Amino acid sequence: MKQKVHDFELDDEGHWMAKLSCGHYQHVRHDPPLRVREWVLTSEGRLSRVGQELNCIKCDNDQPRDF
Ligand SMILES: [Zn+2]
């Protein structure tokens, strides 16, 4: 299910996660698998992605909210 990016946060290991409007986190580096996206490393890059949509697999699987 497509969900809008609300914000970005670092996880405990220092990996960036997108906070989605549905209440789920999604690791940005997992899409595509195991590739770090350069834009996520700068605040400008992250800000430019806020409001865009990501496919939320957790929604598709009816998983409870992360936050
Ligand atoms: Zn979701």
Side-chain angles (χ1 to χ4, degrees):
M1 187 181 295
K2 293 267 187 183
Q3 298 291 355
K4 279 193 173 168
V5 175
H6 186 64
D7 201 356
F8 289 90
E9 264 183 32
L10 282 170
D11 70 8
D12 294 339
E13 296 178 346
H15 298 132
W16 283 104
M17 305 178 294
K19 285 177 80 173
L20 302 178
S21 55
C22 55
H24 289 130
Y25 286 113
Q26 181 173 126
H27 276 100
V28 179
R29 68 194 169 97
H30 285 172
D31 181 24
L34 303 179
R35 263 188 61 195
V36 173
R37 290 183 168 180
E38 295 292 322
W39 56 261
V40 83
L41 301 178
T42 66
S43 57
E44 292 85 358
R46 290 190 299 277
L47 266 178
S48 72
R49 258 66 179 188
V50 170
Q52 292 194 355
E53 291 183 329
L54 289 176
N55 190 41
C56 186
I57 294 164
K58 291 179 178 177
C59 277
D60 293 339
N61 292 334
D62 281 329
Q63 292 189 27
R65 293 170 65 108
D66 292 324
F67 60 89

